[in-house]
Amino acid sequence: MKSENIDLIRELWYRKEFLNDSSCSISLKQWLIDGDYYINSEGNMFSLYVMDKENMVSVMSYDAFKFLLHAAQTFNEAESEGAYRAASSWKVIKLYYAAYFSAHATLRLFGKSFNYLEPGHVNFLGERARTEAGFNPRLKSGNYLASFDFERGDLSFEHFNDSHKDLWRNYSDLLAEMASNSLSLRAPDRRRQELSGYFSSMLSALRHGGSCPLGNWLSVFRNEVNYKSMHGVWYPFPKHAPTINHLMSSAKRWRVAEVDCGDPLLSASEVERFFLTCFQVFDLAISISLDLSKMLDKKDRRIFDFKRMLNESAVA
């Protein structure tokens, strides 16, 4: 992502609390069991009142960097040479998961955590609600978006059915918010319009021209490759199939967030459009995380392994 845009979008996600607790080592799921909070008994959505708001920011960033590690490792493995020059099936699937993990990370950096809560989690929360707040929330295991309102201290939970489709639904909602909020940033109008257009373009690519209104086109494409052997990424490859080296060469400087691969919507190739869309999702997460890394102590456990991964993969 362009450096001037990285600086500009900092206003959309950054909170000084990201810098406060470098010792955080628990995920949100573990925090639900051990964290300090009250059950809210008001409102239509199940929510918690977080006693230590700064700690919740640290929990979100801890989980974000965990997913960033997954994303960086997966993209690095997709870069490595394989048996075929063409963009083969497993390269495509690796690219998908690099984007999938990146979407998870980006949501958390904006205070939104998409998780699967198992029976033990929801039973624990339900029991606390009954004994402490006197109501039965009737929670069920499944996928939840946990959204943190820092000003109010509320962590609210919304249930979803699908771990992939609904992740992309919530990620797309975030992009729509970013496109809208970019127009209110403190910058010249031209830059605000350009940045808003960038996020709107990402959203359009994820919706694939309206055929996937929830923004889950990457998941649809991955399923078509994996389960229907579509898109010419299985042997024998089409004569004019794009090569993986061609696609990856345009993104070779991803470790320093100095890449602009172009607009996926302008590509005539479905495989190339898929790659470019995956990379935009991946690049946004890497760009924000590197920006945050510059502001953190080098010994911070949230970024030590992330930076080591980048350095080691660059010379592999």
Side-chain angles (χ1 to χ4, degrees), residues 54-309:
E54 294 184 2
N55 179 246
M56 176 50 58
V57 173
S58 296
V59 167
M60 289 282 187
S61 66
Y62 174 81
D63 278 348
F65 274 99
K66 177 182 68 177
F67 277 104
L68 282 162
L69 267 177
H70 297 347
Q73 177 182 337
T74 305
F75 194 85
N76 180 55
E77 290 177 357
E79 276 187 308
S80 61
E81 292 185 8
Y84 306 105
R85 293 181 66 252
S88 63
S89 55
W90 290 110
K91 296 284 188 181
V92 165
I93 291 168
K94 286 178 181 178
L95 288 171
Y96 170 78
Y97 276 100
Y100 177 77
F101 295 140
S102 297
H104 269 288
T106 302
L107 282 168
R108 285 163 169 79
L109 290 170
F110 282 81
K112 302 172 186 291
S113 181
F114 193 76
N115 291 278
Y116 184 85
L117 299 185
E118 300 185 32
H121 295 108
V122 295
N123 291 341
F124 180 82
L125 291 171
E127 181 61 26
R128 282 197 59 170
R130 287 186 289 272
T131 58
E132 296 176 17
F135 79 104
N136 185 2
R138 296 181 180 179
L139 298 173
K140 57 183 180 180
S141 60
N143 299 287
Y144 286 85
L145 181 71
S147 301
F148 184 49
D149 183 330
F150 186 87
E151 303 306 326
R152 298 179 57 192
D154 283 347
L155 183 68
S156 59
F157 292 80
E158 184 177 1
H159 182 266
F160 290 92
N161 294 318
D162 192 277
S163 61
H164 286 259
K165 180 175 68 176
D166 289 320
L167 169 78
W168 292 113
R169 178 206 299 258
N170 285 291
Y171 183 78
S172 296
D173 287 345
L174 175 63
L175 287 180
E177 289 179 20
M178 294 175 73
S180 176
N181 293 340
S182 294
L183 298 173
S184 301
L185 293 174
R186 291 168 290 185
D189 185 63
R190 179 190 60 80
R191 290 192 64 196
R192 287 181 290 160
Q193 293 288 345
E194 180 183 90
L195 188 60
S196 178
Y198 179 81
F199 293 127
S200 294
S201 177
M202 283 184 67
L203 183 57
S204 295
L206 289 171
R207 289 174 173 170
H208 200 239
S211 65
C212 297
L214 298 181
N216 62 317
W217 176 64
L218 295 179
S219 180
V220 170
F221 189 97
R222 186 280 310 254
N223 288 339
E224 289 173 346
V225 166
N226 211 20
Y227 304 116
K228 299 181 181 180
S229 301
M230 294 173 60
H231 300 294
V233 296
W234 295 94
Y235 193 88
F237 304 109
K239 183 177 180 180
H240 299 293
T243 66
I244 192 64
N245 289 341
H246 164 69
L247 295 175
M248 286 299 185
S249 64
S250 62
K252 62 184 179 181
R253 289 185 59 79
W254 64 265
R255 293 170 184 83
V256 290
E258 292 181 5
V259 177
D260 183 4
C261 290
D263 188 344
L265 300 175
L266 300 180
S267 175
S269 163
E270 285 279 278
V271 174
E272 187 167 322
R273 192 178 308 138
F274 174 84
F275 168 82
L276 293 175
T277 305
C278 284
F279 185 77
Q280 280 191 329
V281 176
F282 175 68
D283 181 54
L284 177 60
I286 292 294
S287 296
I288 293 176
S289 63
L290 287 175
D291 189 35
L292 176 57
S293 297
K294 294 174 184 177
M295 295 180 275
L296 292 169
D297 180 19
K298 292 181 180 179
K299 296 180 181 180
D300 191 313
R301 66 165 57 197
R302 288 170 293 179
I303 64 169
F304 178 80
D305 288 335
F306 175 66
K307 286 188 172 181
R308 186 173 65 174
M309 158 72 72

